[in-house]
Amino acid sequence: MSERGRALIVYETMFGNTERIARAIRDGLRRYVAADTVPVNRAPDVVPGDVRLLVVGGPTHAFSMSRLSTRQGAVQQADVVMPIEVGIREWLGALERADGSRPDSLRVTTFDTRIAKVRHLPGSAARSAAKLLRRMGYRMLGTSESFFVSDTTGPIRDVELERARRWGEELGRLLTGSARVAG
């Protein structure tokens, strides 16, 4: 699989639900390419050269990517599982722009988590992140995806984790041009 490069999934999570989705996406991708997850507070500011797919995900807060103020609000709702100082908004702001030296080899895509009972409201962390990545010169693979939690702090249902794994498989097929894998 190394000749196919690898996928890197950078995620922000407050209560662990988005991390669980990121890992399910990783598991689906691993049927096609090597894939790793990294929390946004430990993510590199430059996409490593062997990465062919960068997947960025976080929770939808106030109809977009989180801000420090919305993450501070999350702390007041329940214990959070990662530092709140850096979210995907800040990380993307520090991420090096696409340099054009590998225009055909690196793709990006985005996902978010959101509360199921407000699934039809406008705004999405995934769409906001995708728009920013396109402006930075990155090329998208597929479309952004949303996954739904039962309430603000979760839980996330197994059906959503399975949907995330299948989406990861689809991303792997798109990235490698592979035929559908049975199973």
Side-chain angles (χ1 to χ4, degrees):
M1 283 192 217
S2 61
E3 69 276 359
R4 295 181 177 181
R6 70 181 175 109
L8 180 63
I9 304 154
V10 176
Y11 66 89
E12 170 189 344
T13 191
M14 295 288 97
F15 307 114
N17 296 300
T18 309
E19 179 179 15
R20 292 183 70 201
I21 291 293
R23 289 181 178 178
I25 294 166
R26 174 202 63 199
D27 293 347
L29 276 163
R30 281 185 173 169
R31 295 187 70 181
Y32 297 90
V33 295
D36 300 299
T37 58
V38 63
V40 69
N41 61 310
R42 288 194 248 140
D45 290 340
V46 176
V47 179
D50 65 333
V51 172
R52 286 197 49 215
L53 175 64
L54 174 65
V55 182
V56 179
T60 296
H61 285 199
F63 311 113
S64 188
M65 293 180 280
S66 72
R67 300 181 186 296
L68 179 58
S69 61
T70 62
R71 292 189 299 271
Q72 287 169 333
V75 169
Q76 296 177 8
Q77 295 178 33
D79 291 334
V80 296
V81 299
M82 66 184 292
I84 65 167
E85 290 76 23
V86 177
I88 59 171
R89 178 186 299 269
E90 292 82 6
W91 180 73
L92 288 171
L95 183 65
E96 189 173 271
R97 294 181 66 82
D99 65 10
S101 66
R102 44 185 217 175
D104 293 326
S105 64
L106 176 63
R107 293 291 187 270
V108 298
T109 195
T110 60
F111 72 95
D112 64 21
T113 52
R114 54 178 57 212
I115 300 171
K117 62 186 169 191
V118 293
R119 73 173 56 211
H120 299 294
L121 288 178
S124 159
R127 288 193 304 267
S128 296
K131 184 176 180 181
L132 180 55
L133 283 161
R134 283 191 301 272
R135 273 194 248 138
M136 294 170 66
Y138 290 95
R139 294 178 59 192
M140 298 299 291
L141 177 73
T143 58
S144 299
E145 190 64 53
S146 292
F147 299 94
F148 302 98
V149 296
S150 298
D151 204 349
T152 302
T153 60
I156 193 150
R157 294 177 27 224
D158 289 342
V159 67
E160 290 298 291
L161 295 171
E162 177 58 23
R163 199 164 64 81
R165 187 193 58 74
R166 286 193 317 267
W167 188 61
E169 288 180 6
E170 179 62 24
L171 292 172
R173 283 191 292 275
L174 288 170
L175 185 65
T176 63
S178 298
R180 178 180 274 289
V181 172

